[in-house]
Amino acid sequence: MKNFSLLTLLLLFVFSVNAQEVKFPALDASPADIAYFPNKAVKFKKTDTTLPSIKVIYSRPSAKGRSIFGELIPFGEVWRVGANENTEIKFYKPATINGIAVPAGTYSLFAIPEKDKWTVIINKEIDLWGGYAYDQSKDLVRIVVPVKAITTPVEALSIAFTTQGAVTNLVIGWDKTTVEVPITLK
């Protein structure tokens, strides 16, 4: 009986340790999102044949009444194009940006915003937090693109794709600013 009581007590202890609730983190203020090109490239059924060419995974900070470029995001400094982990861009097939060949693969997307232009950067290093460990020596592509002012502000950072003939534009928009990075897919 003594052994049975000891065994019961031990089992109750084990079950109470395993039954503790997991503390899940709160919803992130800058939720992660994914932009695909073509936009409906994700397969909904086994019969869908459209495959993605490009995928961008990024966190979407909100303006929340703040002045973004030149204040929250300082001009002339490397920015991760989002929040939290750096933004990643995956090319499913080779591409060309600014005359530079970009092999299929996953890269980081950074930018150096200025008032009238941005330097957009495709960097070989991934799995970074923000731009703190950014290493310019690992840049694959740097392209300077003009800023386009928009009249209707974009509350949360947004990334999308447009096409113009054979060129696919990676469009980044936030607050009253958009930029377009022309990409030619092979």
Side-chain angles (χ1 to χ4, degrees), residues 67-110:
S67 208
I68 303 302
F69 297 106
E71 291 188 29
L72 181 66
I73 308 298
F75 288 139
E77 293 183 18
V78 173
W79 173 53
R80 60 187 149 203
V81 186
N84 304 329
E85 285 189 48
N86 60 305
T87 294
E88 289 187 357
I89 183 166
K90 179 176 183 175
F91 293 92
Y92 289 85
K93 54 177 107 177
T96 303
I97 301 173
N98 201 29
I100 299 169
V102 178
T106 303
Y107 305 93
S108 291
L109 179 65
F110 292 100

Side-chain angles (χ1 to χ4, degrees), residues 9-10 37 43 46-47 51 58 61 75-76 82 101-102 119 121 131 135 141 143 153 159 167 172 174 176 178 183:
L9 189 61
L10 182 62
F37 179 78
K43 293 184 176 196
K46 288 183 179 183
T47 57
L51 298 175
Y58 65 110
F75 288 139
V102 178
T119 301
I121 303 161
D135 181 351
V141 174
I143 181 173
I159 295 177
V167 175
I172 303 166
W174 195 16
K176 299 173 187 163
T178 64
I183 301 169

Side-chain angles (χ1 to χ4, degrees), residues 2-70:
K2 200 182 216 184
N3 286 340
F4 179 75
S5 295
L6 185 59
L7 180 61
T8 303
L9 189 61
L10 182 62
L11 285 173
L12 285 173
F13 175 76
V14 169
F15 284 125
S16 69
V17 168
N18 288 333
Q20 291 179 1
E21 287 188 33
V22 174
K23 302 277 185 192
F24 290 103
L27 183 63
D28 195 288
S30 301
D33 204 351
I34 301 173
Y36 280 97
F37 179 78
N39 292 331
K40 299 198 182 223
V42 178
K43 293 184 176 196
F44 292 104
K45 356 177 222 186
K46 288 183 179 183
T47 57
D48 288 347
T49 58
T50 304
L51 298 175
S53 298
I54 307 170
K55 175 171 75 172
V56 179
I57 301 173
Y58 65 110
S59 288
R60 299 184 66 182
S62 294
K64 298 179 186 174
R66 301 175 289 185
S67 208
I68 303 302
F69 297 106

